[in-house]
Amino acid sequence: MAKARGAIEVDIEKCKGCELCIGSCPFHVISLEQHVNSKGYHYAYMGNPEACTGCTNCAVVCPDGVITVFRAKSEV
Amino acid sequence: MEVKEIIRQENMVYQRSSLLTSKPFSYCPGCGHGTSNRLVAEVIEELGIQNDTIGVAPVGCSVLIYDFIDIDFSQAPHGRAPAVATGIKRVLPEKVVFTYQGDGDLAAIGTSETIHACNRGENITIIFVNNGIYGMTGGQMAPTTLPGMKTSTSPYGREVATMGTPLKITEMIAHLDGVNFVSRQAVHTPAAVRKAKKAIRAAFECQINKKGLGFVEIVSNCNSGWKMTPVKANQWMEENMFPFYPLGDIKVDGKLVKTL
């Protein structure tokens, strides 16, 4: 059966680590990286990439517009 | 399927609006202004009116919008954005003119300009971001501050007996005949953001179709002013702001759709 698989790309330098994307993700895909960007913010990354469906919730809620979402169908 | 195989241009389903400049938003982390700016940019891009749109930036955090959206902007003195927008629209009636104001600007110093522009039924769009505080100047009390809410100028909480009750300016202007569309939205969850975008689009379409003034209030947070983390501020907003500032359309097509 075809299953939607998604992935996000985060503009690390523009992310401010506000964590709104983490709460908006229905599949708990996103976490904050322990490293910081050049401004000193922990930035979002896909901690659990397998679970992402590309629903775009994180990108829609991101106040800094740093998330790009991709979605593809995979045959499982 | 590897992540690398998914991240391909042809699979892209959402990206930052191309109308936003490459400058990073200078708002605080988690601030609703960033989301609101993004929505305005997305709506202008989708309507294809970027060459014909003139924004009027006010004073306060919301002024920074002129750095982030790649369209023409003018800046107005504190509170006077609806008056400046009136002038621009009357001289250039074919342009789409909007103001983007905060509560300290629109509901305090600019109350008169706002009410009279709405009463005259100017064919402009007003986007009003209400976070119940003066954010840029250091978290002072605004007319929209909730009763009991602590700010730097009401350190024991807003006392209704001496400082009055919060001003529901959106409900006030909904009663004016010149106003065609009034809605109150929020941008703290994905569902709320999608609804807010629809409302902003409706307010711009109202102007394009020459129906009258479109007004959208966005109830937002001010993490720095409220002294909370972004996630906590959004929870606080749901629990305290929304009962006082209920979300939803208030006036559609010149008719009140909500009992006030």
Side-chain angles (χ1 to χ4, degrees):
Chain A
M1 207 184 99
K3 186 185 160 204
R5 281 288 313 272
I8 61 166
E9 213 172 39
V10 178
D11 187 339
I12 290 168
E13 278 306 309
K14 284 184 184 160
C15 178
K16 295 177 189 153
C18 69
E19 302 186 14
L20 294 191
C21 53
I22 296 177
S24 76
C25 178
F27 304 107
H28 311 291
V29 172
I30 309 173
S31 315
L32 277 199
E33 178 64 74
Q34 285 203 324
H35 298 114
V36 293
N37 62 17
S38 68
K39 292 207 170 138
Y41 293 120
H42 296 282
Y43 50 87
Y45 80 109
M46 279 204 291
N48 179 19
E50 296 298 312
C52 182
T53 60
C55 71
T56 73
N57 270 8
C58 53
V60 165
V61 88
C62 175
D64 291 285
V66 300
I67 302 177
T68 310
V69 185
F70 300 86
R71 191 191 301 143
K73 277 196 178 132
S74 82
E75 300 293 331
V76 181
Chain B
M1 207 175 191
E2 290 291 312
V3 168
K4 266 189 289 181
E5 292 172 58
I6 305 170
I7 298 186
R8 284 192 186 145
Q9 200 54 34
E10 67 265 25
N11 292 337
M12 209 234 341
V13 285
Y14 191 96
Q15 71 171 346
R16 186 182 165 91
S17 163
S18 65
L19 266 195
L20 291 171
T21 58
S22 57
K23 228 175 169 181
F25 287 132
S26 46
Y27 306 118
C28 305
C31 177
H33 269 305
T35 323
S36 310
N37 285 8
R38 264 186 41 225
L39 292 186
V40 172
E42 283 175 17
V43 167
I44 293 173
E45 188 181 19
E46 283 172 19
L47 292 172
I49 51 173
Q50 54 267 45
N51 293 333
D52 297 311
T53 304
I54 302 174
V56 182
V59 170
C61 290
S62 27
V63 69
L64 298 167
I65 190 173
Y66 61 24
D67 269 346
F68 305 131
I69 304 188
D70 197 8
I71 55 170
D72 288 339
F73 266 101
S74 175
Q75 203 223 325
H78 209 342
R80 276 56 175 168
V84 172
T86 299
I88 297 175
K89 185 72 183 179
R90 288 193 179 191
V91 174
L92 302 168
E94 294 312 313
K95 298 283 178 191
V96 177
V97 183
F98 76 96
T99 73
Y100 180 92
Q101 303 172 259
D103 51 322
D105 190 79
L106 183 142
I109 193 162
T111 316
S112 158
E113 282 74 10
T114 306
I115 288 180
H116 287 292
C118 292
N119 193 40
R120 290 192 305 269
E122 298 296 341
N123 197 23
I124 56 174
T125 302
I126 297 179
I127 312 292
F128 166 40
V129 180
N130 176 8
N131 55 18
I133 208 165
Y134 279 87
M136 185 180 260
T137 47
Q140 288 86 356
M141 190 183 81
T144 44
T145 299
L146 298 183
M149 191 172 159
K150 287 182 181 167
T151 68
S152 61
T153 46
S154 60
Y156 303 109
R158 179 174 186 159
E159 197 187 74
V160 172
T162 52
M163 304 167 195
T165 46
L167 183 62
K168 290 186 176 181
I169 197 157
T170 305
E171 272 85 352
M172 277 169 71
I173 65 120
H175 288 290
L176 303 174
D177 289 338
V179 182
N180 188 272
F181 177 80
V182 181
S183 183
R184 182 186 280 125
Q185 302 294 339
V187 288
H188 65 305
T189 61
V193 173
R194 291 188 175 105
K195 279 191 198 160
K197 187 173 169 184
K198 270 189 197 156
I200 293 174
R201 194 183 164 109
F204 273 94
E205 281 173 342
C206 178
Q207 177 180 171
I208 294 167
N209 298 328
K210 299 188 171 37
K211 283 187 181 164
L213 194 137
F215 187 103
V216 180
E217 170 178 348
I218 295 170
V219 183
S220 181
N221 55 358
C222 179
N223 329 309
S224 307
W226 297 356
K227 315 236 179 296
M228 293 175 197
T229 62
V231 174
K232 189 94 209 311
N234 280 347
Q235 272 172 8
W236 190 90
M237 178 171 74
E238 271 183 28
E239 288 160 14
N240 298 281
M241 296 278 277
F242 292 173
F244 201 85
Y245 297 113
L247 305 186
D249 288 347
I250 296 171
K251 196 174 191 182
V252 178
D253 258 341
K255 288 192 187 77
L256 288 173
V257 290
K258 205 176 198 178
T259 39
L260 303 175

